[in-house]
């Protein structure tokens, strides 16, 4: 289990694994952007496909959008298999069931090494909406070998077969589609969570969230860890709008003497996620929770460390979009050495790049600020009402 910070660490590891691939590569991502360093991953996929490696990529229809004709043609000529999860059209706006997105970031090469985290195929110094960034995004992934690799591979194959079945149906190949769906069902039993034991003091799990049998597993993993905490909870999360249970768990932890520290997004990125998070801060600050805002660049981390041994790295934010609608994947690790590495990096980010929120200053924020927060929260609640979800 190796912690990787940012695309500057992840992309070279991905490219090295892909260049060594002999049989197959599976890749899933929310955003695939070939600007800057993202092109290095794209080129590695093309090289692998050209030498006969079965290369399969799934991207989200909203996060990635349409590829440029040049890259689309290069992928096709090389033989890279490309699928889009929930392509964007008018149904996305009209049908709440189409609001579900593929937000997980996974890769498996030759069933030997896997990658899981929150990092898209997107250059750390480039943002599709804001352009060039002065500092890299703050985000993490893990490189994994061992039993979790097979679990990750199965998880990705199940989604691929589902997308293939949908594609076959659209092409009126009903018999082939039914065969694909039946194969997916028979192989997906028990394919939602796996525990892998390494050394005597190490365990790890791939924890998924989907809209079928794994609707709340990531949230429950957080709740169990927070409830068991005795000394310290550190959470870094990009879009932090926890529901009632998560808020109460953090409040109770702080009230029983656990030091709770949150490193959250301090830089405006999206209206709803930025402003809807602020009303939650009051209850947490009142309970003694320390909140730090990160502003040198966009904070996209979805990680946590509890009591110096439990840690999680993945794609899931602690907001209703991730916990109620999106497909997400987190690795949960119980290992002191791994947790210490992540903890040290988070504490350094809080100390050097975080601004601690002052409860008095928060309480005196302007009417305009409060109005924007109320509007964002109202929009989020209306969206939840339309989907029929409770949070």
């Amino acid at each position: 289990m190796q912690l990787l910070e940012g695309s500057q660490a992840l992309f070279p590891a991905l490219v090295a694994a892909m260049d060594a691939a002999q049989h197959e590569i599976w890749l899933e991502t929310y955003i695939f952007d070939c600007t800057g360093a993202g092109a290095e991953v794209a080129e590695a996929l093309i090289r692998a496909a050209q030498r006969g490696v079965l290369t399969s990529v799934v991207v989200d229809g909203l996060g990635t959008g349409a590829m440029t004709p040049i890259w689309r043609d290069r992928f096709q000529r090389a033989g890279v298999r490309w699928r889009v999860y929930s392509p964007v059209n008018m149904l996305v706006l009209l049908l709440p069931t189409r609001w579900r997105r593929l937000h997980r970031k996974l890769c498996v090469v030759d069933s030997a090494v896997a990658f899981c985290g929150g990092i898209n195929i997107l250059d750390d110094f480039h943002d599709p909406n804001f352009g060039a960034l002065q500092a890299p995004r703050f985000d993490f992934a893990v490189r994994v070998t061992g039993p979790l690799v097979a679990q990750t591979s199965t998880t990705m194959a199940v989604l691929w077969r589902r997308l293939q079945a949908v594609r076959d149906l659209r092409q009126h190949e009903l018999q082939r589609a039914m065969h694909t769906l039946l194969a997916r069902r028979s192989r997906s039993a028990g394919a939602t969570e796996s525990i892998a034991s390494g050394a005597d003091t190490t365990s790890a799990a791939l924890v998924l969230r989907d809209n079928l049998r794994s609707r709340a597993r990531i949230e429950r993993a957080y709740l169990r860890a927070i409830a068991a905490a005795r000394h310290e909870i550190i959470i870094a999360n990009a879009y932090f709008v926890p529901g009632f249970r998560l808020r109460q768990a953090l409040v109770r932890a702080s009230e029983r003497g656990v030091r709770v520290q949150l490193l959250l997004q301090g830089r405006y990125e999206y209206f709803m996620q930025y402003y809807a998070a602020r009303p939650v801060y009051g209850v947490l600050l009142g309970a003694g929770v320390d909140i730090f805002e990160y502003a040198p660049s966009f904070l996209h981390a979805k990680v946590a460390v509890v009591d110096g041994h439990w840690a999680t790295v993945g794609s899931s934010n602690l907001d209703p979009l991730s916990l109620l609608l999106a497909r997400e994947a987190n690795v949960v690790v119980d290992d002191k050495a791994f947790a210490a590495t992540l903890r040290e990096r988070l504490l350094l980010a809080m100390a050097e790049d975080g601004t601690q929120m002052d409860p008095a200053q928060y309480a005196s924020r302007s009417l305009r600020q409060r109005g924007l927060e109320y509007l964002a929260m109202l929009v989020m609640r209306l969206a939840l009402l339309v989907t029929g979800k409770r949070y």
Side-chain angles (χ1 to χ4, degrees):
M1 194 79 64
Q2 178 187 3
L3 182 69
L4 303 171
E5 182 178 342
S7 67
Q8 297 172 87
L10 173 63
F11 288 2
L14 279 176
V15 170
M18 291 174 180
D19 282 343
Q22 298 180 13
H23 306 293
E24 61 181 9
I25 297 172
W26 297 89
L27 176 69
E28 291 180 12
T29 184
Y30 180 67
I31 299 173
F32 198 123
D33 190 305
C34 295
T35 304
E40 298 173 7
V41 179
E43 295 285 2
L45 290 168
I46 290 171
R47 288 194 298 270
Q50 287 175 335
R51 64 177 185 269
V53 175
L54 183 64
T55 306
S56 308
V57 179
V58 181
V59 300
D60 183 76
L62 180 64
T64 297
M67 291 293 289
T68 62
I70 293 176
W71 282 106
R72 185 182 63 241
D73 292 345
R74 290 193 65 193
F75 283 138
Q76 288 178 347
R77 289 198 303 270
V80 176
R81 301 194 301 171
W82 185 275
R83 298 290 182 270
V84 178
Y85 181 92
S86 191
V88 175
N89 51 44
M90 286 301 297
L91 289 177
V92 172
L93 299 177
L94 299 176
L95 298 177
T97 56
R98 296 296 300 275
W99 295 358
R100 300 168 179 171
R101 308 316 310 173
L102 175 71
H103 195 244
R104 64 196 194 190
K105 293 88 178 176
L106 296 170
C107 182
V108 173
V109 178
D110 282 349
S111 298
V113 59
F115 299 85
C116 175
I119 305 172
N120 290 291
I121 306 303
L122 178 65
D123 191 299
D124 271 346
F125 288 90
H126 169 73
D127 187 273
N129 299 315
F130 294 88
L133 303 177
Q134 297 302 310
R137 273 181 212 84
F138 188 66
D139 206 345
F140 295 92
V142 289
R143 179 185 183 275
V144 181
T145 57
L148 284 187
V149 177
Q151 181 62 54
T152 309
S153 180
T154 299
T155 295
M156 300 176 77
V158 166
L159 179 61
W160 183 272
R161 287 193 291 271
R162 176 178 176 271
L163 294 177
Q164 187 63 45
V166 172
R167 188 183 189 192
D168 292 344
L169 281 170
R170 287 173 177 167
Q171 296 175 354
H172 305 292
E173 298 179 13
L174 183 59
Q175 184 175 1
R176 180 181 174 188
M178 290 302 297
H179 175 76
T180 303
L181 284 171
L182 289 173
R184 178 177 66 84
R185 285 185 180 179
S186 65
R187 298 183 187 184
S188 64
T192 56
E193 187 171 355
S194 175
I195 302 296
S197 297
D200 292 340
T201 58
T202 304
S203 64
L206 176 68
V207 186
L208 306 176
R209 204 224 77 85
D210 58 34
N211 294 290
L212 298 172
R213 294 179 298 175
S214 304
R215 295 173 183 265
R217 291 197 172 189
I218 292 177
E219 184 178 15
R220 286 202 300 265
Y222 269 97
L223 289 171
R224 286 195 297 265
I226 293 170
R230 293 296 175 263
H231 307 290
E232 180 185 69
I233 297 169
I234 303 174
I235 296 174
N237 209 258
Y239 309 133
F240 184 79
V241 190
F244 177 77
R245 291 188 300 173
L246 271 172
R247 291 199 307 271
Q248 287 299 106
L250 291 170
V251 167
R252 286 195 294 267
S254 183
E255 289 176 343
R256 66 176 183 265
V258 177
R259 186 177 186 187
V260 181
Q261 299 177 87
L262 307 177
L263 181 62
L264 307 178
Q265 184 77 272
R267 187 168 177 175
Y268 179 89
E269 188 174 13
Y270 300 111
F271 173 81
M272 185 171 67
Q273 287 90 334
Y274 182 82
Y275 284 107
R278 268 63 192 163
V280 175
Y281 295 173
V283 173
L284 299 173
L285 289 169
V289 173
D290 295 326
I291 298 178
F292 296 83
E293 291 191 304
Y294 184 92
S297 187
F298 293 117
L299 182 147
H300 276 192
K302 283 76 69 175
V303 301
V305 179
V306 177
D307 284 350
H309 66 88
W310 184 95
T312 185
V313 178
S315 65
S316 182
N317 291 295
L318 298 179
D319 76 340
L321 296 179
S322 279
L323 296 179
L324 296 179
L325 294 174
R327 287 179 176 268
E328 306 282 5
N330 277 36
V331 168
V332 173
V333 185
D334 195 332
D335 177 76
K336 289 183 179 179
F338 182 89
T341 301
L342 179 56
R343 177 181 182 272
E344 180 180 359
R345 185 63 192 94
L346 296 180
L347 290 177
L348 182 65
M350 284 188 284
E352 294 188 350
D353 299 314
T355 301
Q356 186 167 3
M357 186 170 289
D358 178 59
Q361 186 176 6
Y362 170 83
S364 62
R365 65 199 189 282
S366 68
L367 289 177
R368 179 181 180 278
Q369 175 76 17
R370 294 170 187 262
L372 291 171
E373 294 170 1
Y374 177 80
L375 178 60
M377 185 61 75
L378 178 62
V379 171
M380 184 171 285
R381 290 188 180 278
L382 286 175
L384 291 174
L385 181 65
V386 169
T387 61
K389 305 288 186 179
R390 298 185 63 183
Y391 187 59

